[in-house]
């Protein structure tokens, strides 16, 4: 590719343009739109997107390198959740990300998160805000351990789902012939989502390293090797 490599400021310009585009509209901006927003050439934007994919700041479509599939907690594809704000509708990438959106977006103090139980198709909806967990006896089941999420991040996110109960989790696991992952209640899910993406819409954001991520998981009440923590 002609020209010098994208520098850190240009990478950050593109990252922020992707995230603010998702936040405002619920959809992922493409390279021409990102070029218009950042003042960069389209080929420079494409180069930046590849770097951001490699650094796990966003996820590109494996078959179309121009298409942003995910910029957590936002998703460009339906993975089982919808999140409705005051004026914007987002696809929720997973249970974790859907509950995180009101904590990240200052102008959205609460959102309506809707999904269906993967085992029995019962519809569920919660008003998720920043002050306290939503009421409910439902549970979240995460299939993929945290240290394997980025092996196939779309698959991992698609399997972070909300169920009516532990009994429905067991029915789904038997039907799909998969091993049980990690089950948590709504309050724990809300605590996990509350601060995980703090600062992601600000310039200079950096992802947590493994040790700080593990400390965060322990702080919100998660346990065991699934989360990179000592066995109970």
């Amino acid at each position: 590719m002609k020209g010098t490599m994208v520098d850190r400021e240009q990478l950050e310009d593109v990252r922020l343009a992707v995230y603010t585009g998702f936040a405002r509209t619920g959809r992922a901006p493409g390279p021409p739109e990102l070029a218009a927003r950042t003042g960069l050439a389209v080929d420079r934007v494409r180069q930046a997107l590849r770097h951001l994919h490699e650094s796990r700041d966003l996820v590109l479509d494996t078959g179309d390198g121009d298409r942003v599939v995910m910029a957590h907690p936002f998703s460009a594809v339906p993975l089982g959740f919808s999140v409705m704000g005051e004026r914007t509708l987002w696809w929720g990438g997973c249970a974790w990300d859907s509950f995180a959106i009101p904590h990240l977006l200052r102008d959205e103090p609460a959102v309506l998160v809707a999904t269906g139980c993967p085992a029995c198709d019962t519809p569920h909806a919660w008003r998720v805000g920043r002050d306290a967990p939503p009421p409910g006896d439902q549970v979240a089941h995460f299939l993929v351990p945290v240290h394997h999420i980025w092996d196939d991040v779309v698959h991992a996110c698609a399997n972070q789902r909300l169920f009516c109960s532990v009994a429905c989790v067991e029915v789904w696991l038997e039907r799909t012939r998969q091993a049980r992952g990690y089950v948590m209640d709504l309050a724990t899910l809300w605590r996990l989502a509350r601060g995980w993406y703090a600062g992601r819409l600000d310039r200079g954001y950096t992802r947590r390293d493994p040790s700080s991520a593990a400390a965060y998981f322990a702080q919100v009440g998660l346990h065991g090797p699934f989360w990179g923590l000592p066995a109970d």
Side-chain angles (χ1 to χ4, degrees):
M1 179 176 294
K2 295 180 180 180
T4 59
M5 299 287 287
V6 288
D7 62 30
R8 183 170 299 185
E9 286 301 310
Q10 291 171 335
L11 284 175
E12 188 66 351
D13 289 342
V14 174
R15 187 191 71 82
L16 285 172
V18 170
Y19 274 87
T20 56
F22 258 127
R24 288 198 307 263
T25 69
R27 63 175 183 81
E33 185 176 349
L34 291 169
R37 290 185 183 182
T38 62
L40 298 172
V42 172
D43 62 346
R44 190 60 59 86
V45 167
R46 291 190 173 105
Q47 189 178 13
L49 289 173
R50 287 196 295 273
H51 280 287
L52 292 166
H53 174 82
E54 291 166 3
S55 63
R56 299 181 177 179
D57 286 292
L58 51 78
V59 182
L60 296 178
D61 189 316
T62 55
D64 180 358
D66 282 359
R67 181 173 180 241
V68 177
V69 175
M70 304 183 79
H72 298 288
F74 306 113
S75 175
V77 295
L79 294 174
F81 293 86
S82 62
V83 181
M84 185 68 202
E86 185 176 347
R87 296 173 298 277
T88 308
L89 177 66
W90 298 272
W91 292 123
C94 57
W96 185 350
D97 287 350
S98 297
F99 271 48
I101 285 177
H103 299 289
L104 179 65
L105 301 182
R106 299 180 183 94
D107 295 333
E108 295 286 356
V111 297
L112 183 68
V113 175
T115 190
C117 175
C120 68
D121 294 328
T122 297
H124 296 291
W126 304 266
R127 186 178 185 273
V128 180
R130 294 195 280 262
D131 295 332
D137 296 326
Q138 298 90 349
V139 299
H141 176 262
F142 285 28
L143 183 67
V144 180
V146 67
H147 54 283
H148 285 304
I149 284 177
W150 284 93
D151 295 352
D152 183 341
V153 67
V154 175
H155 169 77
C157 290
N159 285 283
Q160 295 176 1
R161 299 295 301 274
L162 280 156
F163 293 78
C164 300
S165 63
V166 174
C168 272
V169 173
E170 296 298 339
V171 168
W172 180 79
L173 291 172
E174 182 176 0
R175 180 194 305 159
T176 58
R177 299 182 179 181
Q178 300 191 86
R180 178 169 169 153
Y182 192 95
V183 176
M184 68 185 80
D185 60 17
L186 293 183
T188 304
L189 175 65
W190 182 85
R191 291 194 302 271
L192 170 63
R194 178 173 53 182
W196 181 251
Y197 295 118
R200 187 155 283 197
L201 290 176
D202 300 330
R203 181 170 289 275
Y205 171 85
T206 57
R207 291 166 48 83
R208 287 181 174 84
D209 60 31
S211 61
S212 61
Y216 180 87
F217 296 147
Q219 178 186 352
V220 302
L222 301 172
H223 305 278
F226 190 96
W227 297 100
L229 299 169
D232 297 336

